[in-house]
Amino acid sequence: MTTQHDPHLLGAYVLGALDEQEVRVMDEHLASCPDCAREVAELRDMEAFLGEVPPEAMLDGPPEGGDLLLQRTLRQVRAERGGVARRRQFALGAAAAVVAAIVLGAGVLVGKVTSPDANVALPTPTVAPDPAGTRLATFTDPATKASMTVKVVPAAGWVRTNMAISGIPEGEKCRIFVVAKDGSRQEAGSWVVSKKGAAEGTNLDGSALVDPKDVKSVVVENFAGEKFVEVPVQA
C-alpha cells in the first residue's frame, strides 16, 4: 500500500475512514515522515474547526438559494462523516474549500492564534464588520407590547434583514414586510410563532427587493393584517 505524501489517504485517516490495516500502515508511515505528520496535524486543526460548525448546517445545509459552493462542500462533508466510501477525495485543499465556503456563508473571517499553554496555532473566528449603510433599530409597540430589533443590510438594489422579535402570541401566523418610502411593501419572510418563540422571542433572517436608500420601515403583521410592531429604519 502506497502512503507517501498521499493527501487523499491523509484526509481519510484524519476522518477515520480507513480500515484497521490501513490505519496501521499509515501510523508507521507517519512515524517516519515529518512532512505527512505535519500535514495530518493541520488536517486535525481543520477537523476541529469544522466540528464547531452548527449541526444544523451539516444536516440541512444553507438556506434554499444559498451559496452553491457552500452547498456542495457541506454535502461532501456529510458524505465523509457518514462513511459512504472508504477513500473519498478529501485532501487539505478540499478541507480549505469547505472552510472558505463556510466563511462566505456565515460572514466570518478565520484567523489563527497561538495557545498560551502550547505553541499550537488554533483557528479563531472573527466577525466581519457590517457593510456601509447598514441600519439597526429597535421599537416596542405600546398597544401590542410586541418588540422588534431589526438590522437592514444593503445589497445591490435589495436588502438583507435580520429580526429579533418578541411579544407575539403562540400560534400566530406572521409576515414580515419591508416598507419603502412610497408606501409599497415587499415580503421578507413568514413564520408561525412557536411556544418557545412566544416565551423567548424569535430570530429570523430575510431579504426584500427594495432599494436600500428607499427603505422606510420593517413591519410584522399576521395573515389577517393585524400589525404587531413596525420599526422605522429610514436614514
Side-chain angles (χ1 to χ4, degrees):
M1 175 179 174
T2 301
T3 59
Q4 186 174 11
H5 310 304
D6 187 337
H8 303 147
L9 288 178
L10 293 178
Y13 175 80
V14 170
L15 290 169
L18 300 181
D19 60 31
E20 292 183 6
Q21 181 179 355
E22 290 170 327
V23 170
R24 285 195 298 270
V25 173
M26 183 62 70
D27 286 339
E28 293 174 1
H29 175 69
L30 293 174
S32 61
C33 181
D35 290 339
C36 285
R38 182 169 53 253
E39 189 165 355
V40 164
E42 293 174 353
L43 282 168
R44 289 197 189 282
D45 283 344
M46 193 69 69
E47 171 77 356
F49 175 77
L50 290 175
E52 296 175 0
V53 176
E56 58 270 20
M58 292 298 182
L59 291 172
D60 301 324
E64 183 178 354
D67 184 86
L68 292 178
L69 174 59
L70 179 57
Q71 292 176 0
R72 289 195 299 269
T73 50
L74 286 178
R75 278 198 298 268
Q76 182 172 350
V77 170
R78 289 197 297 271
E80 295 297 337
R81 292 187 180 278
V84 175
R86 288 286 183 187
R87 295 182 183 177
R88 295 288 186 184
Q89 303 299 306
F90 191 82
L92 181 60
V98 174
V99 173
I102 293 170
V103 166
L104 292 174
V108 173
L109 301 176
V110 178
K112 285 195 173 183
V113 297
T114 301
S115 166
D117 301 321
N119 189 24
V120 178
L122 302 174
T124 303
T126 303
V127 178
D130 290 324
T134 297
R135 290 175 248 170
L136 184 68
T138 300
F139 184 74
T140 298
D141 189 285
T144 66
K145 308 302 181 184
S147 179
M148 177 166 61
T149 296
V150 62
K151 180 165 71 171
V152 178
V153 181
W158 55 285
V159 292
R160 297 183 180 91
T161 56
N162 174 262
M163 290 77 58
I165 307 165
S166 61
I168 299 179
E170 178 185 356
E172 288 283 1
K173 297 180 179 180
C174 298
R175 289 191 177 109
I176 301 166
F177 292 96
V178 175
V179 183
K181 292 177 182 178
D182 64 3
S184 61
R185 309 194 310 172
Q186 294 293 330
E187 186 170 342
S190 59
W191 86 107
V192 178
V193 180
S194 65
K195 181 177 181 179
K196 182 177 180 180
E200 302 177 11
T202 305
N203 190 280
L204 299 167
D205 291 308
S207 61
L209 191 58
V210 179
D211 193 292
K213 67 178 182 296
D214 291 333
V215 175
K216 177 183 178 182
S217 64
V218 178
V219 61
V220 175
E221 62 183 45
N222 62 18
F223 277 48
E226 177 187 356
K227 184 172 72 175
F228 289 108
V229 61
E230 182 171 8
V231 181
V233 294
Q234 185 172 346

